[in-house]
Amino acid sequence: MIEGGATLDLELLRTFEVVAQCGSLAAAAEIRHRTLSAISMQIKRLETELESRLFERGPRGVTLTPSGELLQREARELLRVHDTLVSRFNGERLSGRVRLGIPEDYARELLDDTLPQFMARYPGVLLDVTTDTSGRLARALKRQQVDLAIVLDGAEGLAHGETLWHPEPVWAAPSYGALHLDPVLPLAVHPVECPYRQLAIDALETAHRPWRALFTSTSIHAVEKAIEAGMAIGVIDRERLTTAMRALGEADDMPALRQCTARLHFARAIEATSRSAVEALATLLRERLHGRGPWQTDSLSERHGNGRGAKANGSRRPGQ
């Protein structure tokens, strides 16, 4: 029990935060470079000190209890304040410039928490962020225009990379109507070099389904609006479904979509003065995104009130 004058070990809170993000003790052990038993003991110690059960254990991993959800909100802010205070005095001794590329579809979620935390923790680092399609980000990596990037697989010319999470692409249709029954399927898609566009085209051509790109935009929000307005069908991450959309599947005579992977890639050459800063951002991205992607434990609908997220659509979150 925490009594007056007692303190919580920040390392326990950091372990708790990583477990909460990953939804898995084993994944947290890999990220924290500790054994599984050490991670388990840290969580048990924290639960003992707080006299509260923080996680429910299950066959697919762990999920936060109501007490755990409360602690996560408070712990995240405490760690942010702590890291900001420390960095103001020593800046974690990091400087340099980090050029990060991220798919536009995930920019909002990363800007909500992860990237502001990096800037607060390392105020001496200049962060440049570019959003684009995965294909263009892959080209930017090869041209040394970014230092690291999150890229969905299928981008030409990129191999290997560190697996971060497995997106769940789905056919998204307006919540009303039956566009999927049209003789020529109207699509809302990104331009070429977008893996989700290619997923849609590959699936339709394999199934010999005629299609046309009715609406094309580099903006995920514009694509989503075209779907919500009843103009077209698109392929988006399941977590982006809104109450104005519905997911279609094989029961609706839509062809199955192959799965894909989001990976972290580094440029072949990184300025020596920036290598430590680049690795620091990569470490934070691994902690935040491993297994579950940019979708935080609290649903998007709870944070933004816009009906998005798994809870609004009855879907299961990745990694749970």
Short mmCIF file of all heavy atoms in Angstrom, two decimals, residues 156-201:
data_model
loop_
_atom_site.label_atom_id
_atom_site.label_comp_id
_atom_site.label_asym_id
_atom_site.label_seq_id
_atom_site.Cartn_x
_atom_site.Cartn_y
_atom_site.Cartn_z
N GLU A 156 7.39 -1.13 -53.45
CA GLU A 156 8.41 -1.69 -54.33
C GLU A 156 9.81 -1.28 -53.89
O GLU A 156 10.06 -0.13 -53.56
CB GLU A 156 8.17 -1.20 -55.76
CG GLU A 156 9.11 -1.81 -56.78
CD GLU A 156 8.80 -1.36 -58.19
OE1 GLU A 156 7.77 -0.69 -58.38
OE2 GLU A 156 9.60 -1.68 -59.08
N GLY A 157 10.71 -2.26 -53.89
CA GLY A 157 12.11 -1.97 -53.64
C GLY A 157 12.52 -1.99 -52.19
O GLY A 157 13.70 -1.81 -51.89
N LEU A 158 11.60 -2.22 -51.26
CA LEU A 158 11.95 -2.28 -49.85
C LEU A 158 11.90 -3.72 -49.38
O LEU A 158 10.93 -4.44 -49.63
CB LEU A 158 11.00 -1.44 -49.00
CG LEU A 158 11.27 0.05 -48.86
CD1 LEU A 158 10.34 0.64 -47.81
CD2 LEU A 158 12.72 0.33 -48.50
N ALA A 159 12.91 -4.13 -48.67
CA ALA A 159 12.94 -5.49 -48.13
C ALA A 159 13.20 -5.42 -46.64
O ALA A 159 13.69 -4.41 -46.12
CB ALA A 159 14.02 -6.32 -48.82
N HIS A 160 12.87 -6.50 -45.97
CA HIS A 160 13.13 -6.64 -44.54
C HIS A 160 12.36 -5.56 -43.76
O HIS A 160 11.18 -5.37 -43.97
CB HIS A 160 14.63 -6.60 -44.26
CG HIS A 160 15.41 -7.56 -45.11
ND1 HIS A 160 15.21 -8.91 -45.06
CD2 HIS A 160 16.37 -7.33 -46.05
CE1 HIS A 160 16.01 -9.50 -45.92
NE2 HIS A 160 16.72 -8.58 -46.53
N GLY A 161 13.02 -4.84 -42.88
CA GLY A 161 12.31 -3.92 -42.01
C GLY A 161 11.83 -4.63 -40.76
O GLY A 161 11.69 -5.86 -40.72
N GLU A 162 11.58 -3.85 -39.70
CA GLU A 162 11.13 -4.40 -38.43
C GLU A 162 9.60 -4.39 -38.37
O GLU A 162 8.98 -3.34 -38.55
CB GLU A 162 11.68 -3.57 -37.27
CG GLU A 162 13.19 -3.50 -37.20
CD GLU A 162 13.64 -2.60 -36.06
OE1 GLU A 162 12.87 -2.46 -35.08
OE2 GLU A 162 14.74 -2.04 -36.15
N THR A 163 9.02 -5.54 -38.11
CA THR A 163 7.56 -5.60 -38.01
C THR A 163 7.08 -4.84 -36.78
O THR A 163 7.56 -5.06 -35.67
CB THR A 163 7.10 -7.06 -37.92
OG1 THR A 163 7.45 -7.74 -39.13
CG2 THR A 163 5.58 -7.14 -37.72
N LEU A 164 6.13 -3.93 -36.99
CA LEU A 164 5.54 -3.19 -35.89
C LEU A 164 4.16 -3.73 -35.55
O LEU A 164 3.88 -4.08 -34.42
CB LEU A 164 5.44 -1.70 -36.25
CG LEU A 164 6.77 -0.94 -36.37
CD1 LEU A 164 6.52 0.49 -36.80
CD2 LEU A 164 7.54 -0.97 -35.04
N TRP A 165 3.28 -3.80 -36.55
CA TRP A 165 1.95 -4.34 -36.30
C TRP A 165 1.35 -4.82 -37.62
O TRP A 165 1.90 -4.57 -38.69
CB TRP A 165 1.04 -3.32 -35.63
CG TRP A 165 0.41 -2.27 -36.53
CD1 TRP A 165 -0.82 -2.32 -37.12
CD2 TRP A 165 0.98 -1.01 -36.94
NE1 TRP A 165 -1.05 -1.18 -37.85
CE2 TRP A 165 0.03 -0.36 -37.75
CE3 TRP A 165 2.19 -0.37 -36.67
CZ2 TRP A 165 0.26 0.90 -38.31
CZ3 TRP A 165 2.41 0.88 -37.23
CH2 TRP A 165 1.47 1.51 -38.04
N HIS A 166 0.23 -5.52 -37.52
CA HIS A 166 -0.47 -6.03 -38.70
C HIS A 166 -1.79 -5.27 -38.85
O HIS A 166 -2.73 -5.52 -38.09
CB HIS A 166 -0.73 -7.53 -38.57
CG HIS A 166 0.53 -8.34 -38.50
ND1 HIS A 166 1.30 -8.61 -39.61
CD2 HIS A 166 1.18 -8.91 -37.45
CE1 HIS A 166 2.36 -9.32 -39.26
NE2 HIS A 166 2.31 -9.51 -37.96
N PRO A 167 -1.87 -4.34 -39.79
CA PRO A 167 -3.13 -3.63 -40.02
C PRO A 167 -4.23 -4.61 -40.43
O PRO A 167 -3.95 -5.74 -40.86
CB PRO A 167 -2.79 -2.66 -41.16
CG PRO A 167 -1.30 -2.54 -41.14
CD PRO A 167 -0.80 -3.87 -40.67
N GLU A 168 -5.46 -4.17 -40.33
CA GLU A 168 -6.60 -5.01 -40.70
C GLU A 168 -7.42 -4.29 -41.78
O GLU A 168 -8.42 -3.65 -41.48
CB GLU A 168 -7.47 -5.32 -39.48
CG GLU A 168 -8.47 -6.42 -39.75
CD GLU A 168 -9.24 -6.82 -38.49
OE1 GLU A 168 -8.94 -6.27 -37.41
OE2 GLU A 168 -10.15 -7.65 -38.62
N PRO A 169 -7.00 -4.37 -43.04
CA PRO A 169 -7.75 -3.70 -44.10
C PRO A 169 -9.09 -4.38 -44.35
O PRO A 169 -9.19 -5.61 -44.33
CB PRO A 169 -6.82 -3.84 -45.31
CG PRO A 169 -5.99 -5.05 -45.03
CD PRO A 169 -5.81 -5.07 -43.54
N VAL A 170 -10.12 -3.58 -44.55
CA VAL A 170 -11.46 -4.10 -44.82
C VAL A 170 -12.08 -3.29 -45.95
O VAL A 170 -11.72 -2.14 -46.20
CB VAL A 170 -12.37 -4.04 -43.58
CG1 VAL A 170 -11.85 -4.92 -42.47
CG2 VAL A 170 -12.54 -2.59 -43.10
N TRP A 171 -13.04 -3.91 -46.63
CA TRP A 171 -13.87 -3.18 -47.58
C TRP A 171 -14.82 -2.29 -46.77
O TRP A 171 -15.57 -2.78 -45.93
CB TRP A 171 -14.68 -4.12 -48.44
CG TRP A 171 -13.89 -4.95 -49.41
CD1 TRP A 171 -13.62 -6.29 -49.32
CD2 TRP A 171 -13.29 -4.50 -50.63
NE1 TRP A 171 -12.89 -6.70 -50.40
CE2 TRP A 171 -12.67 -5.62 -51.23
CE3 TRP A 171 -13.22 -3.27 -51.28
CZ2 TRP A 171 -11.98 -5.54 -52.44
CZ3 TRP A 171 -12.54 -3.18 -52.49
CH2 TRP A 171 -11.93 -4.30 -53.05
N ALA A 172 -14.78 -1.00 -47.02
CA ALA A 172 -15.65 -0.06 -46.30
C ALA A 172 -16.68 0.49 -47.27
O ALA A 172 -16.33 1.03 -48.34
CB ALA A 172 -14.83 1.08 -45.70
N ALA A 173 -17.93 0.38 -46.90
CA ALA A 173 -19.03 0.87 -47.72
C ALA A 173 -19.88 1.82 -46.90
O ALA A 173 -19.82 1.81 -45.66
CB ALA A 173 -19.89 -0.30 -48.21
N PRO A 174 -20.68 2.68 -47.56
CA PRO A 174 -21.60 3.51 -46.78
C PRO A 174 -22.58 2.64 -46.01
O PRO A 174 -22.86 1.51 -46.40
CB PRO A 174 -22.30 4.36 -47.86
CG PRO A 174 -22.08 3.64 -49.14
CD PRO A 174 -20.78 2.93 -49.01
N SER A 175 -23.06 3.15 -44.91
CA SER A 175 -23.93 2.35 -44.05
C SER A 175 -25.27 2.03 -44.70
O SER A 175 -26.00 1.17 -44.22
CB SER A 175 -24.15 3.07 -42.71
OG SER A 175 -24.71 4.35 -42.93
N TYR A 176 -25.61 2.72 -45.77
CA TYR A 176 -26.86 2.46 -46.48
C TYR A 176 -26.55 2.16 -47.94
O TYR A 176 -25.46 2.43 -48.43
CB TYR A 176 -27.77 3.69 -46.40
CG TYR A 176 -27.15 4.93 -47.00
CD1 TYR A 176 -27.32 5.24 -48.35
CD2 TYR A 176 -26.36 5.77 -46.23
CE1 TYR A 176 -26.72 6.36 -48.91
CE2 TYR A 176 -25.76 6.91 -46.78
CZ TYR A 176 -25.95 7.19 -48.11
OH TYR A 176 -25.34 8.30 -48.66
N GLY A 177 -27.54 1.60 -48.65
CA GLY A 177 -27.35 1.33 -50.07
C GLY A 177 -26.65 0.02 -50.34
O GLY A 177 -26.30 -0.73 -49.43
N ALA A 178 -26.44 -0.25 -51.63
CA ALA A 178 -25.83 -1.52 -52.03
C ALA A 178 -24.89 -1.29 -53.21
O ALA A 178 -25.01 -1.91 -54.26
CB ALA A 178 -26.91 -2.53 -52.39
N LEU A 179 -23.93 -0.40 -53.01
CA LEU A 179 -22.97 -0.11 -54.07
C LEU A 179 -22.19 -1.35 -54.49
O LEU A 179 -21.75 -1.47 -55.63
CB LEU A 179 -21.99 0.97 -53.61
CG LEU A 179 -22.49 2.41 -53.52
CD1 LEU A 179 -21.39 3.31 -53.00
CD2 LEU A 179 -22.99 2.90 -54.87
N HIS A 180 -22.02 -2.27 -53.54
CA HIS A 180 -21.21 -3.46 -53.84
C HIS A 180 -21.88 -4.37 -54.87
O HIS A 180 -21.25 -5.30 -55.37
CB HIS A 180 -20.91 -4.23 -52.56
CG HIS A 180 -22.13 -4.71 -51.84
ND1 HIS A 180 -23.00 -3.86 -51.21
CD2 HIS A 180 -22.62 -5.97 -51.64
CE1 HIS A 180 -23.97 -4.56 -50.65
NE2 HIS A 180 -23.76 -5.84 -50.90
N LEU A 181 -23.13 -4.12 -55.17
CA LEU A 181 -23.84 -4.92 -56.16
C LEU A 181 -23.80 -4.29 -57.55
O LEU A 181 -24.31 -4.88 -58.51
CB LEU A 181 -25.30 -5.13 -55.72
CG LEU A 181 -25.50 -5.86 -54.38
CD1 LEU A 181 -26.98 -5.99 -54.07
CD2 LEU A 181 -24.81 -7.22 -54.39
N ASP A 182 -23.22 -3.10 -57.66
CA ASP A 182 -23.13 -2.45 -58.97
C ASP A 182 -22.32 -3.32 -59.94
O ASP A 182 -21.33 -3.95 -59.54
CB ASP A 182 -22.45 -1.08 -58.85
CG ASP A 182 -23.38 -0.02 -58.25
OD1 ASP A 182 -24.48 -0.40 -57.80
OD2 ASP A 182 -22.99 1.14 -58.23
N PRO A 183 -22.71 -3.36 -61.21
CA PRO A 183 -21.96 -4.16 -62.19
C PRO A 183 -20.49 -3.75 -62.29
O PRO A 183 -19.62 -4.60 -62.45
CB PRO A 183 -22.70 -3.88 -63.51
CG PRO A 183 -24.07 -3.44 -63.10
CD PRO A 183 -23.90 -2.71 -61.80
N VAL A 184 -20.23 -2.45 -62.18
CA VAL A 184 -18.86 -1.94 -62.14
C VAL A 184 -18.68 -1.27 -60.79
O VAL A 184 -19.30 -0.25 -60.50
CB VAL A 184 -18.58 -0.94 -63.28
CG1 VAL A 184 -17.14 -0.43 -63.18
CG2 VAL A 184 -18.82 -1.60 -64.63
N LEU A 185 -17.82 -1.82 -59.95
CA LEU A 185 -17.69 -1.36 -58.57
C LEU A 185 -17.03 0.02 -58.51
O LEU A 185 -15.91 0.20 -58.99
CB LEU A 185 -16.86 -2.35 -57.77
CG LEU A 185 -16.88 -2.18 -56.25
CD1 LEU A 185 -18.23 -2.56 -55.68
CD2 LEU A 185 -15.78 -3.04 -55.61
N PRO A 186 -17.70 1.03 -57.93
CA PRO A 186 -17.08 2.36 -57.81
C PRO A 186 -16.16 2.39 -56.58
O PRO A 186 -16.56 2.06 -55.47
CB PRO A 186 -18.29 3.28 -57.61
CG PRO A 186 -19.31 2.41 -56.95
CD PRO A 186 -19.09 1.01 -57.45
N LEU A 187 -14.91 2.81 -56.80
CA LEU A 187 -13.93 2.81 -55.73
C LEU A 187 -13.52 4.23 -55.34
O LEU A 187 -13.41 5.11 -56.19
CB LEU A 187 -12.68 2.04 -56.14
CG LEU A 187 -12.80 0.53 -56.36
CD1 LEU A 187 -11.43 -0.03 -56.71
CD2 LEU A 187 -13.36 -0.17 -55.12
N ALA A 188 -13.28 4.41 -54.04
CA ALA A 188 -12.62 5.61 -53.51
C ALA A 188 -11.24 5.15 -53.05
O ALA A 188 -11.14 4.32 -52.13
CB ALA A 188 -13.41 6.21 -52.36
N VAL A 189 -10.18 5.65 -53.66
CA VAL A 189 -8.84 5.14 -53.41
C VAL A 189 -7.82 6.26 -53.37
O VAL A 189 -8.08 7.38 -53.79
CB VAL A 189 -8.43 4.12 -54.50
CG1 VAL A 189 -9.23 2.85 -54.41
CG2 VAL A 189 -8.56 4.76 -55.89
N HIS A 190 -6.65 5.91 -52.83
CA HIS A 190 -5.49 6.79 -52.93
C HIS A 190 -4.88 6.63 -54.33
O HIS A 190 -5.20 5.68 -55.05
CB HIS A 190 -4.45 6.43 -51.87
CG HIS A 190 -4.86 6.80 -50.47
ND1 HIS A 190 -5.38 8.02 -50.15
CD2 HIS A 190 -4.80 6.09 -49.31
CE1 HIS A 190 -5.64 8.07 -48.86
NE2 HIS A 190 -5.30 6.90 -48.31
N PRO A 191 -3.96 7.52 -54.71
CA PRO A 191 -3.28 7.35 -55.99
C PRO A 191 -2.41 6.09 -55.97
O PRO A 191 -2.31 5.40 -54.97
CB PRO A 191 -2.42 8.62 -56.10
CG PRO A 191 -3.02 9.60 -55.16
CD PRO A 191 -3.58 8.78 -54.03
N VAL A 192 -1.77 5.85 -57.11
CA VAL A 192 -0.87 4.69 -57.21
C VAL A 192 0.21 4.80 -56.14
O VAL A 192 0.46 5.86 -55.60
CB VAL A 192 -0.23 4.60 -58.60
CG1 VAL A 192 -1.27 4.32 -59.65
CG2 VAL A 192 0.53 5.89 -58.93
N GLU A 193 0.83 3.67 -55.83
CA GLU A 193 1.86 3.55 -54.79
C GLU A 193 1.27 3.49 -53.39
O GLU A 193 1.99 3.60 -52.41
CB GLU A 193 2.91 4.66 -54.86
CG GLU A 193 3.67 4.68 -56.19
CD GLU A 193 4.77 5.70 -56.20
OE1 GLU A 193 4.48 6.91 -56.12
OE2 GLU A 193 5.94 5.28 -56.29
N CYS A 194 -0.05 3.28 -53.31
CA CYS A 194 -0.69 3.06 -52.01
C CYS A 194 -0.98 1.57 -51.87
O CYS A 194 -1.70 1.00 -52.72
CB CYS A 194 -1.98 3.85 -51.88
SG CYS A 194 -2.97 3.39 -50.44
N PRO A 195 -0.47 0.89 -50.85
CA PRO A 195 -0.71 -0.55 -50.70
C PRO A 195 -2.19 -0.91 -50.61
O PRO A 195 -2.60 -1.95 -51.14
CB PRO A 195 0.03 -0.89 -49.40
CG PRO A 195 1.14 0.11 -49.33
CD PRO A 195 0.53 1.38 -49.87
N TYR A 196 -3.00 -0.07 -49.95
CA TYR A 196 -4.42 -0.41 -49.85
C TYR A 196 -5.12 -0.34 -51.21
O TYR A 196 -6.02 -1.12 -51.50
CB TYR A 196 -5.11 0.52 -48.85
CG TYR A 196 -4.96 0.08 -47.39
CD1 TYR A 196 -4.04 -0.90 -47.05
CD2 TYR A 196 -5.72 0.65 -46.38
CE1 TYR A 196 -3.89 -1.31 -45.74
CE2 TYR A 196 -5.58 0.24 -45.06
CZ TYR A 196 -4.66 -0.74 -44.74
OH TYR A 196 -4.53 -1.15 -43.44
N ARG A 197 -4.73 0.61 -52.04
CA ARG A 197 -5.26 0.67 -53.40
C ARG A 197 -4.92 -0.63 -54.13
O ARG A 197 -5.77 -1.23 -54.80
CB ARG A 197 -4.68 1.87 -54.15
CG ARG A 197 -5.09 1.95 -55.63
CD ARG A 197 -4.26 2.96 -56.37
NE ARG A 197 -4.56 2.96 -57.80
CZ ARG A 197 -5.29 3.88 -58.41
NH1 ARG A 197 -5.79 4.89 -57.73
NH2 ARG A 197 -5.51 3.79 -59.71
N GLN A 198 -3.65 -1.06 -53.99
CA GLN A 198 -3.22 -2.27 -54.68
C GLN A 198 -3.93 -3.50 -54.13
O GLN A 198 -4.26 -4.42 -54.88
CB GLN A 198 -1.71 -2.44 -54.56
CG GLN A 198 -1.13 -3.40 -55.59
CD GLN A 198 -1.40 -2.96 -57.02
OE1 GLN A 198 -1.19 -1.80 -57.37
NE2 GLN A 198 -1.91 -3.88 -57.84
N LEU A 199 -4.19 -3.53 -52.81
CA LEU A 199 -4.94 -4.64 -52.23
C LEU A 199 -6.31 -4.76 -52.88
O LEU A 199 -6.76 -5.86 -53.23
CB LEU A 199 -5.13 -4.42 -50.72
CG LEU A 199 -3.95 -4.65 -49.79
CD1 LEU A 199 -4.37 -4.38 -48.35
CD2 LEU A 199 -3.42 -6.06 -49.91
N ALA A 200 -6.99 -3.61 -53.04
CA ALA A 200 -8.32 -3.61 -53.63
C ALA A 200 -8.28 -4.09 -55.07
O ALA A 200 -9.07 -4.95 -55.48
CB ALA A 200 -8.92 -2.20 -53.55
N ILE A 201 -7.35 -3.54 -55.85
CA ILE A 201 -7.27 -3.90 -57.27
C ILE A 201 -6.92 -5.37 -57.44
O ILE A 201 -7.53 -6.09 -58.26
CB ILE A 201 -6.25 -2.99 -57.98
CG1 ILE A 201 -6.76 -1.54 -58.00
CG2 ILE A 201 -5.98 -3.50 -59.40
CD1 ILE A 201 -5.76 -0.55 -58.53
#
